[in-house]
């Protein structure tokens, strides 16, 4: 597949997702990339705030792949792998880099990057589109998180990192088009945090505990409980225990 990136840089914005959605309403095409120096209302999954200080990467990318609604979760893994590989090319291999289900990247067990994937169909007829929001801690990071420069011990230009990331997205979307989700799933699992370990899956009103043994064909986490019962988890937060 061929995607031609059109990068638009901004200073301070509410969120890059908001700007991208406005651009789509005005006829934006696939490959538009919104980048901001900082955000006043950056957000992650479940409406969580994403602290957005200058020196990090805040970007939203417009993708228009041909996909069934049930397969939207596949793109979270495609983007996650792309982020992982871009970070791997930017910082020394520490042996402590992993992908946390469903869409975070960890360095030394701490979150350094996250993804917010949203889908809609306005402005494109019946074809659905993806708003891929990504935040990467490069220079600064909140307490309990980590940034790339803290590991790399050197300055990292957010725009240089963005180029690496966009190249990886092209590569993994091509792999997905040719070989399907099984190829993405296999690579993602090879870098998965907590795989084979006992974890907690936390939800708004309950918590489940078991061993993280796999992800299924739709990207759901397979949790094996003490009685060997297996549960497919499609949402929630997981924690190593």
């Amino acid at each position: 597949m061929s995607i031609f990136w059109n990068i638009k840089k901004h200073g301070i914005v509410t969120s890059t997702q908001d700007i991208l959605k406005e651009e789509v309403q005005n006829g934006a095409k696939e490959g538009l990339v919104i980048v901001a120096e900082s955000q006043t209302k950056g957000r992650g999954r479940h409406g969580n705030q994403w602290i957005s200080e200058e020196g990090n990467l805040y970007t939203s990318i417009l993708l228009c792949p041909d996909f069934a609604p049930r397969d939207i979760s596949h793109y979270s893994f495609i983007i996650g792998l792309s982020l992982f590989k871009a970070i791997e090319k930017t910082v020394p291999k520490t042996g402590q880099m992993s992908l946390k289900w469903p869409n975070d990247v960890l360095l030394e067990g701490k979150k350094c990057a996250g993804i917010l994937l949203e889908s809609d169909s306005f402005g494109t007829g019946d074809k659905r589109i993806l708003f891929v929001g990504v935040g990467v801690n490069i220079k600064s990071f909140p307490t309990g998180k980590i940034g790339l420069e803290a590991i790399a011990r050197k300055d990292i230009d957010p725009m240089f990192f963005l180029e690496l990331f966009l190249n990886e997205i092209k590569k993994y979307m091509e792999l997905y088009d040719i070989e399907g989700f099984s190829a993405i799933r296999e690579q993602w699992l090879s870098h998965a945090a907590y795989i084979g370990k006992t974890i907690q899956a936390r939800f708004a009103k309950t918590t489940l505990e078991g061993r993280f043994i796999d992800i299924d064909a739709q990207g759901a986490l397979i949790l094996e409980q003490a009685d060997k019962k297996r549960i497919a988890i499609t949402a929630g937060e997981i924690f190593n225990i």
Side-chain angles (χ1 to χ4, degrees):
M1 65 178 300
S2 295
I3 300 177
F4 299 97
W5 304 118
N6 174 20
I7 300 173
K8 291 189 177 183
K9 297 175 66 176
H10 294 259
I12 301 172
V13 301
T14 54
S15 80
T16 56
Q17 290 287 85
D18 291 343
I19 300 299
L20 185 59
K21 290 175 182 179
E22 290 174 6
E23 291 275 7
V24 167
Q25 289 177 326
N26 292 324
K29 304 299 183 182
E30 181 176 39
L32 178 60
V33 181
I34 301 298
V35 185
E37 292 180 2
S38 66
Q39 304 175 112
T40 58
K41 295 181 180 179
R43 62 186 185 276
R45 294 174 64 235
H46 309 305
N48 293 329
Q49 182 183 14
W50 184 277
I51 304 300
S52 305
E53 297 180 4
E54 291 186 19
N56 297 334
L57 176 65
Y58 313 109
T59 186
S60 289
I61 302 162
L62 179 62
L63 297 177
C64 304
D66 186 11
F67 68 98
R70 70 176 185 279
D71 293 334
I72 183 174
S73 60
H74 291 175
Y75 290 88
S76 189
F77 295 91
I78 292 169
I79 301 302
L81 264 177
S82 302
L83 262 181
F84 184 97
K85 293 299 181 180
I87 293 171
E88 192 174 55
K89 292 178 178 179
T90 307
V91 302
K93 293 184 179 180
T94 65
Q96 297 186 35
M97 184 175 167
S98 59
L99 287 161
K100 182 184 175 185
W101 183 91
N103 53 13
D104 292 338
V105 183
L106 306 182
L107 273 173
E108 297 188 348
K110 298 177 181 179
K111 182 174 178 177
C112 68
I115 301 161
L116 175 63
L117 194 68
E118 297 178 295
S119 174
D120 211 326
S121 58
F122 62 80
T124 60
D126 294 331
K127 188 173 182 179
R128 298 194 68 80
I129 56 179
L130 296 177
F131 305 98
V132 182
V134 174
V136 183
N137 297 330
I138 295 179
K139 187 172 294 292
S140 62
F141 49 92
T143 301
K145 314 299 183 185
I146 200 164
L148 304 191
E149 289 186 355
I151 302 298
R153 305 295 183 187
K154 65 179 181 181
D155 291 339
I156 297 171
D157 180 359
M159 296 305 295
F160 170 76
F161 180 85
L162 177 63
E163 287 186 21
L164 291 177
F165 177 40
L166 294 175
N167 287 337
E168 295 296 327
I169 290 176
K170 274 190 178 181
K171 182 176 78 174
Y172 280 105
M173 288 189 69
E174 287 171 358
L175 177 64
Y176 180 68
D177 286 344
I178 296 168
E179 299 187 28
F181 184 60
S182 60
I184 301 298
R185 174 182 168 276
E186 181 180 355
Q187 287 201 41
W188 190 94
L189 281 169
S190 71
H191 304 300
Y194 318 145
I195 188 74
K197 296 182 178 180
T198 300
I199 63 168
Q200 280 188 347
R202 299 177 188 172
F203 313 95
K205 297 182 179 180
T206 188
T207 298
L208 296 176
E209 188 173 306
R211 192 164 62 95
F212 174 13
I213 62 169
D214 206 349
I215 60 172
D216 69 13
Q218 298 306 132
L221 183 149
I222 305 302
L223 189 75
E224 184 179 75
Q225 297 183 297
D227 60 2
K228 302 302 180 181
K229 179 181 178 181
R230 295 184 176 185
I231 299 173
I233 296 172
T234 58
E237 298 288 338
I238 66 169
F239 299 87
N240 190 29
I241 59 174

